Amino acid sequence: NQIFGLYGRQLEELDRLLGVRIAGFKTDRIYILGAVVAGALLTMLLTVVISRTITTQIASILSVFGRLGIGDFNARANVDSTDELGELATSLNAMLDNITGLFQSQDERDRIQAAVQKLLIDVSGVSKGDLTAEAEVTADMTGAIADSFNMMILELRRVIGEAQTA
């Protein structure tokens, strides 16, 4: 009886200890489940933030390419970050600045070339002996050349007039 009594008391103590341990496991399981849920939520939040940052920068760069496709060379990308996409947007903007400068240089060269051709047409009669030809004096760089040419023709007329008189 004493042994069965001791066995019964030990069994009750083991049941109590097992209950305490099970309660501890349940508490730990709740903490672990909470940490996993919090980690998953934090991961999803970071994923959304990173995704939006990337897609915003990419959308800005694609918008610039779309505007370039229709001939708008004044388009520039917004630089929203300092990562690889931000460096790409910065490089794209620098390239567009260079291209715009080249277009302006080409336009300026074309204007100068047209002015020189007009000046040559204006003075072409002199090579055939027509001393009445005059070059149009303009405000561009060929204007000074045209003015000098006109003064030279005027002086040549004067010299020829003096020679005829003599």
Side-chain angles (χ1 to χ4, degrees):
N1 277 346
Q2 284 184 348
I3 290 178
F4 284 124
L6 180 63
Y7 177 74
R9 285 190 303 273
Q10 290 300 319
L11 190 57
E12 288 173 5
E13 182 63 22
L14 286 175
D15 279 343
R16 187 187 68 73
L17 289 175
L18 187 59
V20 168
R21 189 166 279 188
I22 289 173
F25 284 142
K26 285 181 181 179
T27 304
D28 289 347
R29 184 176 61 186
I30 291 172
Y31 288 139
I32 290 171
L33 184 62
V36 167
V37 168
L41 289 175
L42 183 61
T43 301
M44 288 189 323
L45 178 66
L46 285 172
T47 302
V48 167
V49 168
I50 291 171
S51 174
R52 282 197 178 154
T53 302
I54 291 171
T55 55
T56 301
Q57 190 69 62
I58 290 174
S60 175
I61 292 170
L62 288 176
S63 170
V64 168
F65 283 120
R67 290 174 58 191
L68 287 174
I70 59 173
D72 180 8
F73 289 97
N74 292 320
R76 297 295 180 268
N78 294 328
V79 180
D80 296 329
S81 61
T82 58
D83 60 0
E84 290 84 1
L85 288 173
E87 289 179 19
L88 176 67
T90 302
S91 296
L92 177 64
N93 290 341
M95 180 188 71
L96 290 173
D97 290 340
N98 289 338
I99 288 173
T100 303
L102 291 175
F103 281 153
Q104 289 171 347
S105 296
Q106 184 175 0
D107 289 344
E108 184 178 336
R109 188 190 76 224
D110 291 345
R111 282 193 304 275
I112 291 170
Q113 186 173 3
V116 168
Q117 286 176 345
K118 184 177 181 332
L119 178 62
L120 289 174
I121 290 169
D122 287 349
V123 300
S124 64
V126 174
S127 67
K128 297 174 187 160
D130 180 12
L131 296 180
T132 62
E134 285 191 7
E136 180 183 349
V137 178
T138 59
D140 60 13
M141 67 171 270
T142 59
I145 298 170
D147 193 36
S148 297
F149 176 81
N150 290 340
M151 289 176 60
M152 180 187 71
I153 292 297
L154 185 64
E155 190 62 28
L156 190 57
R157 283 185 208 147
R158 187 187 66 74
V159 168
I160 290 175
E162 288 178 4
Q164 283 177 340
T165 304

